Amino acid sequence: SSPSSSPPKFEPCRPMRILEVGVGATCRTILRGMYDDAFQNIDTGIEFIGIDLDIPNDDVVQKAKEKMVSATKELKSPVSMNTHEYEYSYDETKPLSFSIQSGDITTGLPFPDGYFDAITSSLLLCSVDDQSNAIAEIKRLLNPNGGVYGFIEHVAVNRSYNNEKDLILLELSQEAFDPLQQLVAH
């Protein structure tokens, strides 16, 4: 099942390790720039790994990589990306590594205990079969010496944010059913 080892020792010069669980078919969190501001505060470089049951199509991965490169150019860092057949690099001062991989958070991922400094997910826990196993695996993967888990669950669609025309039906249904949901919730 899952690899087991002692938590990683403090390594001040290594890149910050970030795992996004459930990147989805559109890599929406990356493409919306949700990491952009945070990357400006990281001075050791970034190792970013996105996980999902199904890897997004090549066009989406390409756009996500370009967005990540754009967001980190302010870091003045070398970029190494080798997911699928794409490779990008530029030679400056801080490393960026980016990959999207297939994996299931409920059955274990192939990383050592405590490997990640930050783990994020968006609308993940409502879609996995076993939330307890997912949370246990996130806890196992998170660095016990200061790791952070950030998540967003059940948010309303806001197409005006990114002009996502494919979400119009979802947004309209959320708006239509929201009064009923509010009545039931209270």
Side-chain angles (χ1 to χ4, degrees):
S1 98
S2 301
S4 185
S5 63
S6 37
K9 294 178 183 172
F10 178 68
E11 304 168 66
C13 296
R14 73 160 170 76
M16 176 176 253
R17 297 176 182 142
I18 301 170
L19 173 67
E20 181 176 338
V21 182
V23 294
T26 62
C27 293
R28 184 167 297 142
T29 307
I30 297 166
L31 292 175
R32 286 187 172 182
M34 302 297 281
Y35 294 103
D36 294 3
D37 289 342
F39 286 169
Q40 301 313 309
N41 296 311
I42 299 172
D43 59 3
T44 59
I46 299 163
E47 177 184 346
F48 182 93
I49 299 172
I51 297 289
D52 209 301
L53 292 174
D54 299 310
I55 294 175
N57 72 47
D58 289 346
D59 290 338
V60 170
V61 172
Q62 173 75 18
K63 287 177 186 171
K65 288 178 181 181
E66 289 170 2
K67 175 65 176 161
M68 195 70 78
V69 168
S70 173
T72 57
K73 281 196 177 194
E74 297 297 316
L75 292 174
K76 296 186 170 86
S77 34
V79 176
S80 167
M81 298 187 182
N82 51 26
T83 303
H84 298 282
E85 65 270 9
Y86 306 112
E87 291 191 22
Y88 295 94
S89 63
Y90 62 93
D91 189 16
E92 294 180 26
T93 59
K94 298 177 195 167
L96 167 68
S97 172
F98 176 92
S99 69
I100 303 288
Q101 303 173 15
S102 179
D104 184 347
I105 191 69
T106 64
T107 60
L109 298 175
F111 303 103
D113 293 350
Y115 186 78
F116 292 98
D117 302 301
I119 298 177
T120 66
S121 66
S122 178
L123 304 177
L124 170 81
L125 296 175
C126 60
S127 62
V128 298
D129 292 331
D130 190 333
Q131 290 87 7
S132 295
N133 279 355
I135 294 295
E137 181 65 353
I138 288 167
K139 182 178 178 183
R140 182 189 74 78
L141 294 171
L142 198 57
N143 186 331
N145 300 315
V148 175
Y149 175 50
F151 63 96
I152 299 171
E153 292 292 329
H154 296 287
V155 296
V157 172
N158 182 355
R159 287 181 309 107
S160 63
Y161 181 76
N162 204 23
N163 196 24
E164 297 178 38
K165 294 176 184 172
D166 60 324
L167 297 177
I168 191 167
L169 184 59
L170 179 57
E171 181 181 41
L172 291 173
S173 65
Q174 286 179 340
E175 289 174 1
F177 290 111
D178 185 59
L180 178 62
Q181 185 275 335
Q182 293 296 324
L183 181 64
V184 171
H186 296 288

